[in-house]
Amino acid sequence: MPTHGYEDELQSERGYVAGLYTRLDAERARVKGRYAAALRRNDGTPMERDFEVRALAKEAMRLDVADNGLCFGRLDTRTGERSYIGRIGLFDEANEFEPLLLDWRAPAARPFYVATAATPENMRRRRQFHTRGRRLVDFTDEVLGRPDGAERGDAALLAAVNAPRGDGMNDIVATIQAEQDEIIRLDHPGVLVIEGGPGTGKTVVALHRVAYLLYTQRERMERQGVLVVGPNPAFLNHISRVLPSLGETNVVFTTTGDLVPGLRVTTEDTPQAARLKGSLRILDVLAAAVADRQRLPGEPRIIELADVTVRIDAEIAGWAREEARGSGRPHNEAREVFQEILTWALTERAIARIGKGWLTRSDTEAWEQLREDLIAELADNDAFTAALDELWPILTPETLLAELYTSAERLRAAGGDEALLRTDGTAWTVSDVPLLDELVDLLGRDKPVDQSAERERNEQAQYAAGVLDLMVGREDMMDDEDHLFAQDLLYAEDLADRFLERDTRELAERAAADRDWTYRHVVVDEAQELSEMDWRVLMRRCPGKSFTVVGDLAQRRSAAGATSWDAMLQPYVPGRWIYRSMTVNYRTPAEIMSVAAAVLAEFAPDVQPPESVRACGVQPWAKRVSADELSRAIEEFVREEAGREGTSVVIGPPDVPGAVAASATKGLEFDAVLIVEPERILADGPRGAAELYVALTRATQRLGVLHQGELPQALTGLAEIGTPAPVGSRQQ
């Protein structure tokens, strides 16, 4: 385009974008005004007011997050029609709600991401905007449908991947590529597995898929929310702003170690213990451990009553145990059956002795009164209570598991391996979490039902029933699927649980604090690290089995992790999971990826490394240092990188000052990475090569390696330098 023509177009586009912001500001003011008015309303029911206030608050938030990068492009059809693409949809109310801006998730916006010169999708041109704040800086055009079939231009993409990294992951809404868009919009109700090597963008694609599902299935998704599971808190912090930047907040971010509310993970398991705890075979150990606490007396337990002495012997206790186990109730709730049978048996024996010689069978009232008196006396008898506590104790998951881990005798009785023994039973590990979660169901409540809480719940159920009535009464506002969902799934009692503390906590906060909360959709990142037991917990959290699973089997570190997606998922979702692969590396430049690929070839020769879309022109380096020089070399790297824009990290063994473990950087990215003593990383356990592979692929621009011993064979291609100063220098 000639310079003067480009400038004219730029001014025209600036005017249009400015008009979009004017429309956004007007819409924002209108919504905030309605919100303020709703807060002051006195008419209608409290439930209707609450519904309106929350809906308007969400709409106001959606409009607020759209302020940055509101519009990022334009599509021109072959017939001359124009569509502007942006973060949200905006409409011209004065002109029959004509779309002024298409939401990026709308079907009509899809060609912006998938159209190419060879397959133009009936489009003539794609225009990509570069904005700063509210100002349009410039734009680039791609003419589509050329005979030469040239592929999509990558100016916007390369600008994004070459930009310095900040504190967290950014959304890719303006630069989604065709293979990413296909996965984001995939219509599959079950489990979607997205596998890709480092830098392929699988995590951010999964998050955009959540935003897309929330857009297309908002009513259903928002009622139950979305759970995002990541490997560690640093990773969750890194990705936490992506969904809010897209206007979505009904999302809970957690690690597998936080799936049991209130539990603190303080230590790590040995690989053998992690493998044992992660296998489904541990279920038999847990069931046996619970059964082992349901005891029979070795010697009869003597119960002194006012008028008679009775005994709990093995015969009576065995009968009571059989009945309690046969009830099918969890352990703590089955205690009631155990107690009832013991009480009945002891009462009958006591009556027979007390009434012998003076109480006739025809004296029904006397019999019943005596029985009631004995039942009441047993309930208050300390010896009887002590016997119950010994033979069928009330247990918590934490108590049972801690006592199992610290007792070789109990562990043997449950059929557990001695590798599970430890001195501090309550020093919880990540692998303990699914076991504790399983025990919640095996044990049940650990105290009697609070009657006042039960009454409150009934009141909430009545209130929830009113919600359902309102929803059914608004059938004209609901599609068929939502109507059926409201009728068939949202029972009043279940909805009552969702309304508890509704005035003080948002959905994400309530869901995170509730072990029994179930989600509409679950995203699992670094899924190759999850054990069979971890999957059992997550499947329990999502009865609909709607998952987006993100991982890379080649990066597996956990001894209990996945070696096959099929082996992990088929038991839970047979025939309901599909697989998609991502092969393009958007993060790691070719110079660094070639080094990482050499490591990958050694420990996973059958895995194809992802192909980098760019080169950075900076060659990675290695330097051999003495023990005395090591600290100084690290300090020099840190000092130099502190003067640059972007982020950096030092990765190495635990005893290296200022270094973090490779596992702590999973899913993260940095402009510059310094790896210290890779030979020790390789030697640290069976998954050392995977750890080194992870470390090598965190850098987006610069990579350096410091080593004291011989450089590992896979890294011999690195250029050895005399000093670490050339971290960012360009090699000739």
Side-chain angles (χ1 to χ4, degrees):
M1 184 181 298
T3 302
H4 67 277
Y6 174 85
E7 288 298 327
D8 290 345
E9 279 283 296
L10 181 59
Q11 291 304 318
S12 175
E13 298 290 34
R14 282 175 174 167
Y16 191 88
V17 171
L20 291 176
Y21 275 109
T22 300
R23 181 74 189 88
L24 176 68
D25 290 341
E27 182 68 8
R28 183 183 290 146
R30 183 184 69 83
V31 170
K32 290 184 177 179
R34 288 184 59 197
Y35 175 79
L39 289 175
R40 296 191 298 268
R41 273 184 58 184
N42 293 319
D43 59 324
T45 67
M47 181 268 295
E48 288 176 316
R49 175 178 172 274
D50 179 72
F51 182 86
E52 183 180 10
V53 166
R54 288 183 175 275
L56 290 169
K58 288 179 181 178
E59 179 65 10
M61 184 276 299
R62 185 182 74 92
L63 295 171
D64 285 341
V65 300
D67 204 71
N68 184 33
L70 173 63
C71 178
F72 46 77
R74 188 184 98 186
L75 279 172
D76 296 356
T77 68
R78 291 187 177 280
T79 58
E81 297 175 352
R82 295 179 179 180
S83 298
Y84 287 84
I85 315 299
R87 289 183 175 275
I88 64 171
L90 291 176
F91 301 90
D92 185 356
E93 295 180 4
N95 190 16
E96 298 183 349
F97 286 90
E98 178 184 349
L100 301 173
L101 183 67
L102 284 177
D103 190 298
W104 67 274
R105 295 164 288 194
R110 190 169 187 269
F112 185 79
Y113 300 111
V114 301
T116 65
T119 55
E121 301 281 330
N122 201 37
M123 296 295 153
R124 183 175 64 84
R125 173 169 55 192
R126 172 177 37 236
R127 176 167 288 179
Q128 292 178 296
F129 293 161
H130 173 210
T131 59
R132 186 175 297 117
R134 290 191 165 202
R135 178 177 172 78
L136 175 60
V137 178
D138 55 38
F139 66 82
T140 58
D141 278 348
E142 298 170 62
V143 178
L144 304 171
R146 286 176 173 169
D148 58 11
E151 288 300 315
R152 172 179 175 176
D154 289 327
L157 172 66
L158 291 176
V161 298
N162 280 316
R165 266 44 186 178
D167 293 333
M169 178 181 286
N170 295 318
D171 64 65
I172 58 168
V173 65
T175 59
I176 294 171
Q177 301 299 291
E179 74 162 356
Q180 297 172 329
D181 186 81
E182 178 188 357
I183 294 172
I184 289 169
R185 297 175 192 265
L186 195 61
D187 182 17
H188 179 68
V191 177
L192 166 64
V193 175
I194 306 172
E195 183 163 28
T200 53
K202 53 189 181 293
T203 296
V204 73
V205 165
L207 295 174
H208 283 67
R209 175 168 167 76
V210 169
Y212 176 76
L213 292 174
L214 284 165
Y215 175 80
T216 57
Q217 305 174 29
R218 185 163 302 280
E219 290 298 323
R220 273 180 282 171
M221 297 283 283
E222 283 194 337
R223 289 193 200 104
Q224 294 170 272
V226 175
L227 177 67
V228 176
V229 181
N232 53 59
F235 172 82
L236 294 176
N237 183 61
H238 179 65
I239 69 171
S240 62
R241 71 184 185 189
V242 173
L243 284 169
S245 75
L246 298 172
E248 308 300 348
T249 58
N250 285 345
V251 181
V252 174
F253 293 88
T254 190
T255 67
T256 53
D258 295 321
L259 285 172
V260 173
L263 189 78
R264 278 191 68 232
V265 171
T266 59
T267 188
E268 287 190 19
D269 275 313
T270 64
Q272 184 181 4
R275 190 181 299 109
L276 291 168
K277 293 177 183 180
S279 169
L280 292 180
R281 290 190 294 273
I282 198 69
L283 292 172
D284 294 332
V285 176
L286 296 179
V290 174
D292 183 55
R293 304 304 293 272
Q294 299 163 358
R295 300 270 176 126
L296 302 181
E299 296 291 335
R301 298 295 183 267
I302 308 302
I303 311 296
E304 298 281 355
L305 300 177
D307 299 318
V308 68
T309 298
V310 292
R311 302 188 309 168
I312 302 176
D313 54 30
E315 181 183 3
I316 290 179
W319 175 37
R321 183 172 72 173
E322 183 179 350
E323 292 293 323
R325 288 177 174 175
S327 70
R329 299 185 191 180
H331 169 86
N332 290 333
E333 296 172 28
R335 172 176 159 128
E336 181 182 354
V337 178
F338 184 77
Q339 181 176 350
E340 286 176 356
I341 298 298
L342 283 184
T343 299
W344 185 88
L346 295 179
T347 300
E348 289 301 306
R349 287 187 177 183
I351 289 174
R353 293 177 185 174
I354 294 172
K356 187 175 181 181
W358 65 271
L359 192 59
T360 65
R361 291 191 175 274
S362 61
D363 196 352
T364 305
E365 268 190 44
W367 279 100
E368 290 304 321
Q369 185 59 53
L370 181 56
R371 180 177 286 106
E372 289 179 13
D373 291 344
L374 287 169
I375 290 173
E377 191 175 355
L378 276 173
D380 291 335
N381 187 282
D382 291 340
F384 182 62
T385 301
L388 283 175
D389 291 340
E390 178 188 352
L391 301 178
W392 199 287
I394 292 290
L395 298 170
T396 66
E398 292 82 359
T399 298
L400 184 138
L401 204 56
E403 292 178 351
L404 180 67
Y405 288 154
T406 55
S407 170
E409 179 184 355
R410 283 188 170 139
L411 201 56
R412 280 194 300 271
D417 194 286
E418 287 189 359
L420 300 179
L421 280 173
R422 65 191 191 205
T423 54
D424 185 352
T426 58
W428 304 116
T429 70
V430 169
S431 302
D432 290 327
V433 172
L435 278 62
L436 291 166
D437 191 75
E438 188 73 29
L439 285 169
V440 172
D441 287 346
L442 287 176
L443 296 177
R445 292 189 181 96
D446 61 354
K447 55 187 175 183
V449 177
D450 184 335
Q451 296 300 320
S452 62
E454 191 71 8
R455 283 194 299 273
E456 181 183 2
R457 188 177 184 280
N458 290 335
E459 291 171 1
Q460 294 290 346
Q462 293 176 7
Y463 175 69
V467 176
L468 292 181
D469 290 340
L470 179 66
M471 293 174 68
V472 174
R474 294 183 175 180
E475 291 177 338
D476 57 324
M477 300 173 61
M478 302 168 63
D479 59 33
D480 290 341
E481 286 188 318
D482 279 340
H483 189 193
L484 289 172
F485 186 80
Q487 287 184 319
D488 295 342
L489 298 184
L490 284 182
Y491 297 105
E493 292 82 358
D494 178 64
L495 191 60
D497 292 334
R498 304 298 186 252
F499 274 96
L500 290 174
E501 302 185 60
R502 185 177 175 87
D503 291 337
T504 59
R505 298 189 298 173
E506 294 298 326
L507 180 144
E509 186 182 359
R510 286 183 286 127
D514 184 355
R515 180 262 175 189
D516 294 322
W517 190 278
T518 57
Y519 297 87
R520 183 69 183 178
H521 189 78
V522 176
V523 176
V524 186
D525 210 321
E526 299 294 342
Q528 73 277 355
E529 305 298 344
L530 270 61
S531 69
E532 292 176 316
M533 287 296 293
D534 289 326
W535 280 111
R536 187 173 170 88
V537 175
L538 291 177
M539 291 294 172
R540 190 181 290 127
R541 298 294 193 275
C542 186
K545 306 295 187 291
S546 177
F547 283 75
T548 300
V549 176
V550 181
D552 180 11
L553 295 179
Q555 296 186 59
R556 178 177 65 88
R557 176 178 180 264
S558 170
T563 57
S564 160
W565 299 119
D566 186 73
M568 282 295 185
L569 298 174
Q570 196 66 12
Y572 301 104
V573 284
R576 287 193 62 222
W577 73 276
I578 60 175
Y579 176 88
R580 292 293 184 271
S581 175
M582 299 186 68
T583 59
V584 179
N585 190 329
Y586 300 99
R587 175 207 300 147
T588 317
E591 296 90 341
I592 296 175
M593 197 61 219
S594 65
V595 177
V599 174
L600 180 66
E602 286 203 353
F603 76 93
D606 297 332
V607 177
Q608 185 69 24
E611 182 179 354
S612 298
V613 298
R614 67 189 175 99
C616 65
V618 180
Q619 293 297 327
W621 56 267
K623 175 178 171 54
R624 188 166 186 172
V625 294
S626 66
D628 294 338
E629 296 171 326
L630 182 62
S631 294
R632 187 167 63 253
I634 294 173
E635 291 170 1
E636 189 168 348
F637 166 84
V638 172
R639 185 167 55 252
E640 180 173 340
E641 288 300 328
R644 297 177 182 268
E645 187 178 3
T647 60
S648 62
V649 69
V650 178
I651 300 175
D655 57 348
V656 173
V660 300
S663 58
T665 66
K666 276 198 162 188
L668 308 182
E669 53 186 31
F670 305 87
D671 291 88
V673 172
L674 180 67
I675 299 175
V676 180
E677 301 198 72
E679 63 276 21
R680 288 180 57 194
I681 296 176
L682 279 173
D684 185 19
R687 301 301 300 174
E691 290 278 272
L692 182 57
Y693 181 59
V694 169
L696 290 167
T697 53
R698 299 307 95 193
T700 65
Q701 301 290 343
R702 302 176 292 280
L703 173 69
V705 174
L706 296 176
H707 58 106
Q708 293 189 63
E710 291 294 329
L711 198 64
Q713 179 64 33
L715 299 182
T716 53
L718 286 170
E720 288 278 359
I721 63 172
T723 67
V727 158
S729 65
R730 296 181 181 271
Q731 302 294 314
Q732 301 298 320

